[in-house]
Amino acid sequence: RRGLGVAAGPPSTRQLREAEEAAPVFQYVGKAAKRKDRVFVWGFSYSGALGVPSFVKPDAGWKKPRRIQPTPYRLETEEKISSAACGYGFTLLASNTRDITKVWGTGLNKDSQLGFQRSRRDQTKGYEYVLEPSPIPLPLEKPQQTRVLQVSCGRAHSLVLTDSEGVFTMGNNSYGQCGRKVVEDEIYSGSHLIHQLKEFDSEVVQVVCGQDHSLFRTRKGSVYACGWGADGQTGLGHYNITTVPTKLHGDIAGVNIIQVSSYGDCCLAVSDEGEVFGWGNSEYLQLASVTETTQVNVPRHLPFKIGKVKEAACGGTGNAVLTEEGNVFVWGYGILGKGPNLMETAVPEMIPPSLFGWSDFSPDIRVAHVRCGLSQFAALTNRGELFVWGKNLRGCLGTGRMEDQYFPWRVTVPGEVVDVACGVDHMVSLVRSFT
Amino acid sequence: LNAAPGRAPRQRVRFLPAPAPGGGGAVELVAARVPVLADHPLVRGPRFKKLKIGAGHRLDVKASGVFVLGVGHGNKLLTDLYNCHLTKVYIVGGLFGKATDDFSDTGNLVEKTTFDHITREKLERILAVIQGTNQKALLMYSNIDMKTQEAYELAVKGLIRPMEKCPPIITAVRCLQFALPEFQLEIHCLHETQQYLRKMVHEIGLELKSSAVCTQVRRTRDGVFTVDDALPRTQWNLQSIQEAIQNCQLKVETELERTLG
């Protein structure tokens, strides 16, 4: 308040400057503030796969059930999630912590693909739909030392990869996809059985689930498979089911494979020299570059002249690969990402980099990862932006619109997207905040 | 302008009486070219009494830079250029640590915050996201059906542009200089106002969990006109203006033809 001897009127420059310097300084975040890791989900929610119970069963009077979440929605998790996988109506989230609880599951559990979730109403039965990320009890020998490296989900089964105790499988085993003998008339719902697989030539470094089969990649660069084989997706030279993980030969024998991918009935593998190998279903021209047959049961080398391949992703009817230069090539059938006119091709076609934000103004934008859902594609750039395209089944693209997307479209996520997992009708992304 | 030599007066053919060659008092009509008296400077007066000058895109009092003006017939070209919806380039200077009520450094102080946690990386991440969301807005407001092959081809070439009224859209942002607490951005935008740019600087500050004010807004390009074409204060005379108009004529014509057909 001014004193009696001070003149009235607008404050002089000196007074303003002094007032400014005397003003208190607020600190919102310190110098050593770390960026936070978050999980965002979007897509069809009634299966419980999004992990938000209020979407399915509103807990307040004014809330309405939300069938579809069209834009990314933040999912609160107790721990930092390092790996996520989307199956057909369910999701697995894993953290590489040393705590007892390492894996959480949410969504469909009719085949115990999320392990046994004890129902609170009836202690003998399990939940068929899990609406919230719930811990999955793994039968670990050293639960406070083992870390979970990666999770993967298929149609009705899931795989959990640990660093020292092999692979744990759970869920439907009607075709041996869990790596154990098929038990006739086994009831999978409410089952406590989680099988452990350790018999591989070296440590398993990547697990991949196809629709009803499982692929394991070991440190030595070999690939093992088990499960349904009617389309040759096990790659073992026959069309029968396999109940024990068996090593693949064919064109990948002796080749150091650095990545495998599968989601439907077709499989792709990338070697350390950048060559692509494929086997499985070829009804949609996925392997038409080497053969006319619609089922290939032995891995075949795909002679593409597109440069050294870094990563491959298999969808239901379309495939995508990422080269070392950061270009994305797509082939197969369906919405491939080059406009409505390109619906099928047997030879990979490049998606122009300008669609991912590359321009004269920002020439160092590259695609860092590609992922596939059943009929969707997702690409992550080195700037942390997420681009999606494909069939927008029940809002799974996350663009906010319900129409199919014929070319790559940005998804607005409040943060830098580190990884994304695509499912049939939902997607999960692991995001780091900006500051 | 009025002192410059004007057009020569119009001529017309008149049949004037002249004495006949034969002599005597007979008068015959002879055709002669005479200047029209209505064109005589003493009758007509000064050629230019008023000049119609129109302004292009608005520029704030606190901002500086390229300001396009149209003279006389150029005003029609101004409306055409407005309908071309070309981007403008601004250099925006900002200062971290303060927040004021009108988002510039001359306003009333609202809050002071710390800013030592801000790095160039974080700023560039925020800028990348701003660009991304505005890219989406660009595609949405351009009113093309996303499902057509034509939309795909335009998107590949980067030629999708809204051709009608739409809210401000930023097509590209880049950080030019970063020296805490100051920073400088280069912004390419459409349909914006300078206050919107200042608000954006404020929002960038908020996003970085601090606060920022805008110290400088300078327009370096307005459609086809750059700083090189612009006349500084010392060159605001007739000669330079005429030269500048002539130099830009070709550029403006080609741009109009390309966009409006």
Side-chain angles (χ1 to χ4, degrees):
Chain A
R1 300 235 41 180
R2 62 180 174 90
L4 292 171
V6 179
S12 69
T13 325
R14 183 154 157 239
Q15 278 179 323
L16 279 174
R17 204 178 55 227
E18 282 173 358
E20 206 177 293
E21 272 155 35
V25 179
F26 292 93
Q27 185 185 53
Y28 289 106
V29 67
K31 208 165 177 188
K34 283 207 211 102
R35 294 167 71 187
K36 296 183 200 58
D37 298 284
R38 302 202 165 108
V39 178
F40 282 83
V41 294
W42 60 90
F44 184 63
S45 69
Y46 278 179
S47 57
L50 297 189
V52 186
S54 56
F55 284 170
V56 185
K57 283 200 147 100
D59 47 5
W62 55 268
K63 282 192 191 165
K64 283 204 211 103
R66 210 184 289 194
R67 180 171 163 260
I68 287 175
Q69 174 57 36
T71 49
Y73 185 90
R74 188 162 143 210
L75 185 66
E76 300 274 350
T77 53
E78 288 140 18
E79 294 265 356
K80 177 195 163 202
I81 302 295
S82 59
S83 167
C86 290
Y88 288 38
F90 64 104
T91 316
L92 275 187
L93 303 167
S95 158
N96 68 347
T97 167
R98 279 216 173 117
D99 293 349
I100 309 259
T101 314
K102 302 170 205 290
V103 189
W104 293 263
T106 171
L108 270 185
N109 197 23
K110 289 198 165 176
D111 289 295
S112 298
Q113 54 262 62
L114 306 175
F116 184 70
Q117 303 288 336
R118 199 176 295 276
S119 161
R120 275 203 295 232
R121 262 189 263 182
D122 183 349
Q123 302 280 339
T124 54
K125 295 210 180 73
Y127 280 127
E128 285 202 333
Y129 287 90
V130 178
L131 297 181
E132 216 178 16
S134 312
I136 296 179
L138 295 173
L140 294 165
E141 262 182 31
K142 301 199 175 97
Q144 279 169 327
Q145 284 179 29
T146 320
R147 289 191 202 267
V148 167
L149 297 175
Q150 192 217 333
V151 282
S152 184
C153 303
R155 182 187 62 87
H157 72 296
S158 359
L159 301 177
V160 177
L161 172 65
T162 60
D163 59 351
S164 52
E165 296 198 34
V167 183
F168 290 90
T169 66
M170 44 201 175
N172 191 307
N173 193 41
S174 343
Y175 310 115
Q177 60 263 48
C178 286
R180 56 185 168 92
K181 265 227 190 74
V182 182
V183 173
E184 243 189 67
D185 297 329
E186 181 176 352
I187 301 179
Y188 298 105
S189 161
S191 157
H192 290 252
L193 183 58
I194 298 184
H195 188 65
Q196 190 179 16
L197 293 167
K198 279 186 179 172
E199 311 291 319
F200 298 95
D201 64 359
S202 49
E203 284 151 22
V204 178
V205 285
Q206 188 192 0
V207 286
V208 169
C209 288
Q211 194 162 351
D212 282 308
H213 70 289
S214 312
L215 298 172
F216 310 85
R217 174 173 71 88
T218 64
R219 184 190 301 276
K220 287 198 180 153
S222 37
V223 182
Y224 286 72
C226 63
W228 182 239
D231 276 325
Q233 58 262 56
T234 46
L236 295 167
H238 56 78
Y239 292 111
N240 309 323
I241 65 171
T242 313
T243 55
V244 170
T246 319
K247 194 159 161 176
L248 269 70
H249 297 281
D251 284 358
I252 61 172
V255 178
N256 185 11
I257 300 290
I258 56 166
Q259 198 236 344
V260 274
S261 170
S262 176
Y263 201 64
D265 290 323
C266 177
C267 313
L268 284 181
V270 178
S271 73
D272 55 354
E273 301 191 348
E275 301 293 326
V276 185
F277 300 83
W279 64 97
N281 190 357
S282 181
E283 283 166 21
Y284 302 100
L285 310 177
Q286 293 105 317
L287 308 172
S289 50
V290 284
T291 171
E292 293 272 309
T293 51
T294 48
Q295 276 89 14
V296 177
N297 61 4
V298 169
R300 296 285 303 270
H301 174 239
L302 302 176
F304 297 141
K305 302 261 179 297
I306 53 181
K308 192 164 170 205
V309 171
K310 207 164 62 156
E311 209 178 60
C314 261
T317 59
N319 298 340
V321 288
L322 174 66
T323 58
E324 286 277 327
E325 295 125 42
N327 287 323
V328 178
F329 286 80
V330 288
W331 77 100
Y333 173 81
I335 300 180
L336 297 175
K338 292 193 71 163
N341 287 0
L342 187 74
M343 288 308 263
E344 61 174 2
T345 166
V347 178
E349 304 241 353
M350 184 168 95
I351 296 192
S354 55
L355 287 174
F356 294 115
W358 182 93
S359 67
D360 299 324
F361 209 65
S362 21
D364 51 355
I365 289 202
R366 300 265 177 283
V367 176
H369 299 282
V370 271
R371 301 269 182 270
C372 266
L374 200 62
S375 42
Q376 305 87 19
F377 296 83
L380 293 176
T381 62
N382 54 0
R383 290 259 189 100
E385 289 184 314
L386 173 63
F387 287 83
V388 293
W389 65 99
K391 271 200 97 56
N392 197 2
L393 197 55
R394 297 186 276 270
C396 62
L397 289 184
T399 54
R401 294 156 62 217
M402 299 306 287
E403 291 119 38
D404 301 335
Q405 187 56 34
Y406 289 90
F407 57 90
W409 184 265
R410 242 184 214 90
V411 176
T412 320
V413 179
E416 188 184 326
V417 183
V418 171
D419 200 4
V420 69
C422 305
V424 171
D425 54 9
H426 72 293
M427 282 198 205
V428 170
S429 60
L430 305 179
V431 172
R432 286 181 95 187
S433 67
F434 290 123
T435 45
Chain B
L1 260 182
N2 285 329
R7 260 202 315 236
R10 286 171 292 171
Q11 309 273 351
R12 67 171 169 182
V13 175
R14 277 197 74 181
F15 294 96
L16 296 171
V27 169
E28 69 170 19
L29 293 174
V30 166
R33 243 206 169 87
V34 290
V36 173
L37 277 177
D39 271 353
H40 196 274
L42 288 173
V43 172
R44 200 188 55 212
R47 258 193 81 79
F48 293 101
K49 279 203 265 253
K50 291 189 285 204
L51 273 182
K52 275 203 183 143
I53 298 192
H57 296 110
R58 290 198 192 106
L59 198 62
D60 249 340
V61 172
K62 283 187 264 193
S64 59
V66 175
F67 188 37
V68 179
L69 295 158
V71 178
H73 292 306
N75 290 314
K76 296 196 192 104
L77 293 175
L78 271 184
T79 22
D80 289 337
L81 275 180
Y82 181 77
N83 292 334
C84 275
H85 302 279
L86 300 164
T87 55
K88 303 179 208 51
V89 178
Y90 286 83
I91 306 264
V92 174
L95 192 71
F96 285 122
K98 256 170 52 156
T100 54
D101 55 355
D102 68 347
F103 312 131
S104 78
D105 53 350
T106 51
N108 297 323
L109 181 71
V110 167
E111 197 182 53
K112 283 207 312 197
T113 56
T114 60
F115 49 83
D116 49 359
H117 61 278
I118 302 179
T119 61
R120 190 171 182 149
E121 249 184 27
K122 289 186 187 168
L123 181 64
E124 294 200 334
R125 257 181 251 137
I126 305 273
L127 296 180
V129 150
I130 291 179
Q131 243 184 304
T133 39
N134 277 280
Q135 189 79 7
K136 265 177 74 164
L138 193 68
L139 291 172
M140 285 206 306
Y141 279 106
S142 54
N143 266 350
I144 302 184
D145 187 8
M146 290 297 149
K147 295 202 183 151
T148 56
Q149 183 69 13
E150 183 198 329
Y152 164 70
E153 267 155 33
L154 282 178
V156 170
K157 284 190 234 155
L159 286 181
I160 294 193
R161 227 165 46 197
M163 279 311 206
E164 33 177 62
K165 252 184 157 317
C166 71
I169 291 187
I170 295 176
T171 53
V173 201
R174 193 163 56 165
C175 177
L176 292 176
Q177 281 177 28
F178 183 80
L180 280 179
E182 294 172 357
F183 64 98
Q184 234 186 32
L185 304 173
E186 182 183 330
I187 307 182
H188 295 228
C189 40
L190 280 174
H191 301 159
E192 79 307 334
T193 56
Q194 282 78 41
Q195 193 62 13
Y196 180 79
L197 295 176
R198 293 193 190 98
K199 189 171 172 192
M200 210 181 77
V201 169
H202 175 253
E203 281 171 5
I204 289 178
L206 289 182
E207 195 64 46
L208 287 165
K209 301 213 173 85
S210 176
S211 51
V213 289
C214 176
T215 47
Q216 177 205 34
V217 176
R218 181 167 174 252
R219 184 149 70 195
T220 47
R221 194 163 78 85
D222 184 342
V224 274
F225 304 99
T226 60
V227 182
D228 306 322
D229 305 322
L231 299 170
R233 187 73 178 84
T234 50
Q235 285 182 11
W236 287 3
N237 50 34
L238 182 61
Q239 180 73 2
S240 331
I241 293 178
Q242 280 179 331
E243 267 174 27
I245 293 179
Q246 274 181 351
N247 290 343
C248 293
Q249 238 174 4
L250 186 61
K251 272 203 288 191
V252 171
E253 260 176 40
T254 41
E255 184 60 44
L256 285 178
E257 230 184 80
R258 208 155 56 111
T259 320
L260 298 175

